[in-house]
RNA sequence: GGGGAGAUGCCAGAGCGGCCAAUUGGGGCGGACUGUAAAUCCGUUGCGUAAGCUUCGAAGGUUCGAAUCCUUCUCUCCCCA
């Protein structure tokens, strides 16, 4: 039994903790859980922190439970929300639950040892729980004053909160109690925004079972600019589903972490020993321009979330696209298979050979002929080209009106680069 | 119910009859520098190769000419009951 808490402390993963948690966990194998909200069909990078809590938990010899909030998702957690949620349609919710459950299965060991992980859905115990029963059995134990004191509720009193969302914490609290009763769960973990919900559960268990339960929250990750971690600059989530966010994008996102945040991230997202991580950080600080930590982080996380093969692909792709030494010649030297591999994760735009042959200028090619996916208008295309922002097959385009009679890669492909980081592959079809 | 203020480009916010495709800031995009960083700097930011075209809540009107004036409508905010 490794010292789970000490390790979490060092990794910077503890924001708050119920007193006595450490002592309790040191007594032997404990069972703990984390809940996941099925409000989207995929988990995102932000969810990876609580997933890591469970992984570290299991790694330390404890038994993890991943709980999908099929029931709580029907209500909506007011935590961190300034406005009432809009309900999801039930079939959407069920679909989301299933795909999230599938994702969770990747991260934990569900098959071996006494501490193998379990996956549960709280819809299973809420679906037959009547309202009257709930009020008599659960509601009676928690005073309204206690519920009102929670941040998630307090912040919403002025602007408005429905009874439904107000009651949310009781549902999550009941989950904890239910798991305590039936699965011997004594610990709930989550992001720091979950603190109020976790303590309601602890309280409920104390009142109803006269026993102690414990809770740990991890700090919510923020980027250096204070915004939530795990979102692109455009504000979209980095999803764990490769169909929504490609391994290459995930790799690139992590590779671009700032020097300061990367030190925090590597501790959270690795299982590497303390001494090794600290040595790595020192090496990094000596030569930050090598971006050793960023590369290590990107590699580890991409491998964990997707696979070693997907990660390798992302690296190869990154090298070809970004390397200063990768020239036009290198690009033309690639086999067709390699071209497709390198471009596996960048947007592809199809155009017929006939259409291509009739296009009068590179401007048209990049805007109207490609459905304005690369450029929103001809004007924009002209502006960007004029300011030197377009490369085709790695060659800088200077004349906006030149005919797009480039030598196609393998007689089929054009690699268009807009700015430094945006790539598109134009595929010629017959 | 009574009184007042307002609706301008992605956002904030000027403009109040021609010099307005619309000041400025933020954001976005592109470039330079660099470590595919941060900071900084430069350019650009309705459509159109151009002539020109369509924009300032909506619809009408006045005028040689309107984002700017008038009428009606829609919506938002504030104050008093």
């Amino acid at each position: 039994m490794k010292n789970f808490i000490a390790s979490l402390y060092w990794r910077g993963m503890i924001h708050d903790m119920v007193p006595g948690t450490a002592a309790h966990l040191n007594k032997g194998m404990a069972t703990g859980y984390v809940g996941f909200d099925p409000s989207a069909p995929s988990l995102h990078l932000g969810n990876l922190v609580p997933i890591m809590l469970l992984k570290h938990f299991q790694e330390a010899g404890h038994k993890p439970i991943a709980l999908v909030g099929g029931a709580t998702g029907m209500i909506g957690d007011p935590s961190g929300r300034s406005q009432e949620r809009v309900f999801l349609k039930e079939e959407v919710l069920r679909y989301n639950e299933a795909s999230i459950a599938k994702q969770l299965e990747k991260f934990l060991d569900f098959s071996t040892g006494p501490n193998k992980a379990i996956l549960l859905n709280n819809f299973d115990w809420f679906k037959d729980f009547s309202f009257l029963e709930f009020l008599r059995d659960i509601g009676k134990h928690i005073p309204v004053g206690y519920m009102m004191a929670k941040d998630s509720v307090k912040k919403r009193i002025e602007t408005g909160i429905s009874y439904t969302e107000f009651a949310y914490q009781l549902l999550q609290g009941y989950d904890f109690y239910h798991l305590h009763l039936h699965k011997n769960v004594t610990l709930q973990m989550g992001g720091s925004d979950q603190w109020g919900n976790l303590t309601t559960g602890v309280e409920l268990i104390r009142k109803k079972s006269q026993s102690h339960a414990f809770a740990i929250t991890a700090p919510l990750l923020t980027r250096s600019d204070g915004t939530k971690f795990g979102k692109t600059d455009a504000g979209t989530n980095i999803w764990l589903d490769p169909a929504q966010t490609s391994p290459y994008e995930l790799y690139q996102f992590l590779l671009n972490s700032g020097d300061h945040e990367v030190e925090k991230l590597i501790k959270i997202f690795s299982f590497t020993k303390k001494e090794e991580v600290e040595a790595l950080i020192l090496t990094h600080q000596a030569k930050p321009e090598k971006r050793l930590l960023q590369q290590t982080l990107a590699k580890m996380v991409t491998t964990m979330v997707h696979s070693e093969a997907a990660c390798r692909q992302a690296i190869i792709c990154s090298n070809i696209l970004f390397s200063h030494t990768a020239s036009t010649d290198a690009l033309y030297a690639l086999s067709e298979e390699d071209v497709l591999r390198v471009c596996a994760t960048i947007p592809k735009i199809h155009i017929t050979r006939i259409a291509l042959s009739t296009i009068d200028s590179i401007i048209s090619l990049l805007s109207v002929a490609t459905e304005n996916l690369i450029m929103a208008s001809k004007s924009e295309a002209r502006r960007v080209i004029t300011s030197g922002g377009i490369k085709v097959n790695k060659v800088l385009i200077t004349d906006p009106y030149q005919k797009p009679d480039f030598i196609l890669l393998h007689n089929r492909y054009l690699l268009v680069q807009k700015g430094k980081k945006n790539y598109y592959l134009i595929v010629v079809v017959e």
Side-chain angles (χ1 to χ4, degrees), chain A residues 111 175 186 303 389 425:
Chain A
S111 55
D175 278 340
T186 50
T303 303
L425 188 70

Side-chain angles (χ1 to χ4, degrees), chain A residues 347-365:
Chain A
K348 288 175 196 61
I349 300 158
H350 297 270
I351 185 170
T352 63
R353 198 170 293 278
I354 297 159
L356 180 64
S357 65
T358 58
I359 292 169
D360 58 331
S361 66
I362 179 79
I363 286 182
S364 306
L365 174 68

Side-chain angles (χ1 to χ4, degrees), chain A residues 44 75 90 98 152 168 235 384 424:
Chain A
H44 54 83
I75 301 307
E90 192 161 344
S152 56
Y168 178 89
V384 175
Y424 305 87

Side-chain angles (χ1 to χ4, degrees), chain A residues 63-82:
Chain A
K63 187 174 178 68
I65 293 179
L67 178 74
V68 177
T72 34
M74 294 180 77
I75 301 307
D77 185 358
S79 303
R81 285 259 165 172
S82 54

Side-chain angles (χ1 to χ4, degrees), chain A residues 299-363:
Chain A
K299 203 170 154 183
M300 281 188 318
V301 174
T302 309
T303 303
M304 176 171 71
V305 171
H306 299 294
S307 66
E308 222 169 288
C311 177
R312 217 170 17 242
Q313 205 52 58
I315 294 173
I316 292 172
C317 191
S318 297
N319 286 341
I320 297 260
L321 296 183
F322 286 103
S323 165
H324 299 298
T325 51
S327 62
T328 309
D329 292 344
L331 192 65
Y332 278 106
L334 289 175
S335 72
E336 178 162 10
E337 207 185 2
D338 283 339
V339 170
L340 286 176
R341 219 176 267 154
V342 165
C343 301
T345 60
I346 67 179
K348 288 175 196 61
I349 300 158
H350 297 270
I351 185 170
T352 63
R353 198 170 293 278
I354 297 159
L356 180 64
S357 65
T358 58
I359 292 169
D360 58 331
S361 66
I362 179 79
I363 286 182

Side-chain angles (χ1 to χ4, degrees), chain A residues 42-63:
Chain A
S42 169
L43 296 167
H44 54 83
L45 200 50
N47 295 128
L48 203 52
V49 178
I51 290 176
M52 291 309 293
L53 283 173
L54 282 180
K55 276 177 80 81
H56 284 298
F57 190 64
Q58 185 169 40
E59 167 91 355
H62 297 290
K63 187 174 178 68

Side-chain angles (χ1 to χ4, degrees), chain A residues 158-299:
Chain A
E158 291 293 319
T159 54
I161 181 168
S162 65
Y163 172 74
T164 302
E165 284 197 16
F166 173 65
Y168 178 89
Q169 56 175 298
L170 289 185
L171 295 188
Q172 192 169 327
Y174 177 76
D175 278 340
F176 198 176
Y177 168 70
H178 177 93
L179 292 171
H180 179 72
L181 213 58
H182 296 97
K183 301 285 177 188
N184 197 27
V185 167
T186 50
L187 173 73
Q188 186 181 179
M189 297 177 283
S192 60
D193 58 334
Q194 289 295 308
W195 181 247
N197 293 333
L198 308 203
T199 50
T200 300
V202 170
E203 181 70 4
L204 196 61
I205 290 168
R206 191 178 67 78
K207 290 251 176 80
K208 279 191 69 80
S209 305
Q210 287 82 47
S211 66
H212 284 291
F214 302 90
I216 296 172
T217 58
L220 284 187
L221 285 182
T222 51
R223 307 203 306 174
S224 44
D225 59 3
T227 56
K228 258 191 187 167
F229 170 78
K231 294 202 184 238
T232 59
D233 292 333
T236 49
N237 274 320
I238 302 282
W239 302 101
L240 301 190
D241 174 6
Q244 292 186 67
T245 301
S246 69
Y248 165 76
E249 288 172 280
L250 174 68
Y251 182 86
Q252 281 291 325
F253 177 82
L254 294 163
L255 190 66
N256 281 312
S257 306
D259 287 340
H260 282 287
E261 57 186 355
V262 75
E263 293 180 18
K264 278 194 302 191
L265 297 178
I266 197 115
K267 287 180 183 170
I268 292 171
F269 293 118
S270 74
F271 290 97
T272 316
K273 283 203 288 286
K274 184 179 175 183
E275 298 73 34
E276 278 176 56
V277 172
E278 277 168 354
L280 219 55
I281 289 176
L282 283 177
T283 316
H284 173 256
Q285 284 169 345
K287 288 222 170 201
E289 72 276 11
K290 294 278 183 210
R291 292 185 303 138
L292 174 70
L293 276 185
Q294 282 91 338
Q295 282 168 14
T296 312
L297 174 74
K299 203 170 154 183

